Amino acid sequence: MLVLGLQGGPRKKGNTNYLISAFMDAAEKSGARTLTIDVTRKNIIPCKEYTVCEKKGFCPIDDDVKDEIYPLLRQAEVVVVASPIFFYNMSAQLKAVVDRCQMFWARKYKLKLKDPAANMRCGFLLSVGATKGKNLFEGLQLTTQYFFDAIWAKFEGSLTYRGIEGPNDLAAHPTVLQDVAKAVESILKPFEGRKKVLFACRENACRSQMASAFAQYLAGDKLEVINGGSEPAEEVNPDMVEVMHEKGIDMGFRSPQSIDEAISHVKPDYIITMGCEEQCPYIPGAQKQDWDLPDPAGKPIGFMRDVRNEIEKRVQDFIEDIA
Ligand SMILES: Cc1cc2nc3c(=O)[nH]c(=O)nc-3n(C[C@H](O)[C@H](O)[C@H](O)COP(=O)(O)O)c2cc1C
């Protein structure tokens, strides 16, 4: 599982960076895969309110948010926002990322699409500010709450520290590392003990994508789901995206990947192939099933729908079987 950090503090040796680094170290030690994006060093163009996202569900602005941050926000099951307080809110660079996530808001509330990770993803807030007023973190909390809502993350909690200004102030705080360890433990607890399942097909463009989205959506609390292909395509199949959208499941921001890539971070307990069993690598200890489903690529969209329905049924049966 991926824990994604959005580090919004411009100072490399600042307190915000110290805080999120401690958080990610603790998550990594607990077995999670972590990735921190230093947003102040990325090419991020603020939202220009073109409103394309509200009609079509995508943002026409080309930058690191589009290429890197959108797909990662979809993959992550935990999203950690970290920022110093700048005028009672997050840094402008981080706020620019948040505003660009209006695109996720539009997919959720205008296009009525549900992220497959909707039932599992959670968000956590980290912040520091120089002064000590009661309302210091209120603006940030509110912005973060609505950001998490747009990206389908449940707001799990926050660690915020007042009176922090000089570069080493937070490192000298008496309880910060214990606070972080406790927070990480409680956030990762619901993800513990999930069975890991790999869905594999040839191109990772249709069948294994649909199966993994259904499995994550229906049983993300019991299953950690990955997917891959023996010969990954350049992109996922647009007809597959369309038939999943008919079911209200958002397949945006997914790209095919190889099976090797898929299993590089996760050792599956189950491998489910779609009729291409022999092309799947041997993974010791993993239980194999072959669903032997026809490849819908290049066939009429009605065929894609039939395969989708069959996959949904099989995923439901699989979830019942392992329960
Ligand atoms: C542009 C700017 C605005 C700030 N606004 C506030 C503020 O509204 N309230 C506050 O307590 N501190 C404010 N500060 C101080 C920072 O929150 C504080 O220095 C913090 O520790 C910086 O985190 P860092 O060590 O990660 O850089 C501001 C600092 C800057 C540079």
Side-chain angles (χ1 to χ4, degrees):
M1 65 169 291
L2 175 64
V3 178
L4 177 69
L6 298 176
Q7 204 293 84
R11 292 203 289 189
K12 254 192 176 149
K13 293 188 178 161
N15 298 284
T16 310
N17 200 29
Y18 173 85
L19 187 53
I20 194 164
S21 302
F23 192 98
M24 292 306 197
D25 284 351
E28 193 90 30
K29 279 192 191 113
S30 304
R33 180 164 72 97
T34 66
L35 184 70
T36 303
I37 296 177
D38 207 342
V39 298
T40 71
R41 280 157 192 88
K42 291 288 174 186
N43 170 31
I44 292 162
I45 300 169
C47 174
K48 299 192 191 250
E49 210 176 356
Y50 293 135
T51 64
V52 173
C53 64
E54 299 199 3
K55 292 172 204 112
K56 301 194 170 158
F58 70 87
C59 178
I61 299 173
D62 257 321
D63 64 354
D64 291 340
V65 176
K66 186 176 180 184
D67 295 338
E68 191 182 350
I69 299 179
Y70 286 158
L72 285 169
L73 281 170
R74 274 296 158 93
Q75 281 167 40
E77 290 188 287
V78 178
V79 176
V80 183
V81 162
S83 181
I85 290 292
F86 282 3
F87 286 91
Y88 285 83
N89 213 300
M90 56 181 63
S91 66
Q93 296 92 330
L94 187 53
K95 181 65 163 50
V97 174
V98 167
D99 289 352
R100 291 285 301 289
C101 290
Q102 175 72 358
M103 182 278 303
F104 286 124
W105 180 92
R107 292 178 83 89
K108 180 174 181 180
Y109 289 110
K110 293 273 177 178
L111 306 182
K112 312 274 186 225
L113 294 173
K114 205 161 176 189
D115 186 327
N119 302 324
M120 271 316 272
R121 184 174 298 120
C122 67
F124 199 83
L125 171 64
L126 302 170
S127 184
V128 296
T131 57
K132 295 189 175 167
K134 184 169 152 279
N135 302 333
L136 184 55
F137 298 104
E138 267 185 13
L140 175 64
Q141 292 267 1
L142 207 55
T143 302
T144 307
Q145 180 185 321
Y146 286 103
F147 168 57
F148 284 156
D149 180 71
I151 62 164
W152 294 97
K154 182 167 159 260
F155 197 159
E156 218 34 89
S158 59
L159 287 177
T160 54
Y161 297 89
R162 293 175 170 78
I164 302 293
E165 194 165 17
N168 295 314
D169 283 359
L170 195 60
H173 189 282
T175 64
V176 63
L177 293 178
Q178 284 152 259
D179 301 344
V180 164
K182 226 167 116 186
V184 168
E185 195 190 333
S186 94
I187 288 162
L188 296 186
K189 191 129 202 95
F191 298 93
E192 270 173 22
R194 288 185 303 170
K195 292 285 179 201
K196 298 170 175 58
V197 56
L198 165 71
F199 291 100
C201 64
R202 195 170 57 84
E203 290 195 318
N204 189 219
C206 299
R207 292 165 294 177
S208 54
Q209 291 285 352
M210 292 193 275
S212 67
F214 278 128
Q216 191 180 31
Y217 180 60
L218 296 170
D221 57 333
K222 296 183 199 79
L223 294 173
E224 182 172 350
V225 182
I226 52 171
N227 56 78
S230 52
E231 295 166 45
E234 290 278 300
E235 49 187 34
V236 296
N237 186 303
D239 284 350
M240 180 281 291
V241 173
E242 194 180 323
V243 303
M244 290 299 277
H245 286 187
E246 289 168 5
K247 282 260 164 189
I249 296 188
D250 193 346
M251 301 300 279
F253 314 98
R254 299 168 85 98
S255 326
Q257 62 175 345
S258 68
I259 293 171
D260 286 344
E261 231 174 306
I263 60 175
S264 60
H265 304 293
V266 176
K267 191 185 152 304
D269 301 297
Y270 299 94
I271 300 174
I272 299 177
T273 49
M274 305 283 156
C276 43
E277 192 180 8
E278 66 289 346
Q279 280 157 40
C280 206
Y282 171 71
I283 302 171
Q287 287 184 41
K288 272 186 154 188
Q289 282 185 27
D290 186 40
W291 286 359
D292 198 14
L293 293 166
D295 187 351
K299 305 251 169 59
I301 194 154
F303 193 84
M304 184 73 79
R305 257 180 220 117
D306 292 344
V307 173
R308 174 203 66 192
N309 293 344
E310 182 62 27
I311 287 176
E312 185 180 20
K313 208 157 65 56
R314 289 192 189 216
V315 167
Q316 284 163 347
D317 291 346
F318 173 72
I319 294 166
E320 264 176 40
D321 283 352
I322 62 157

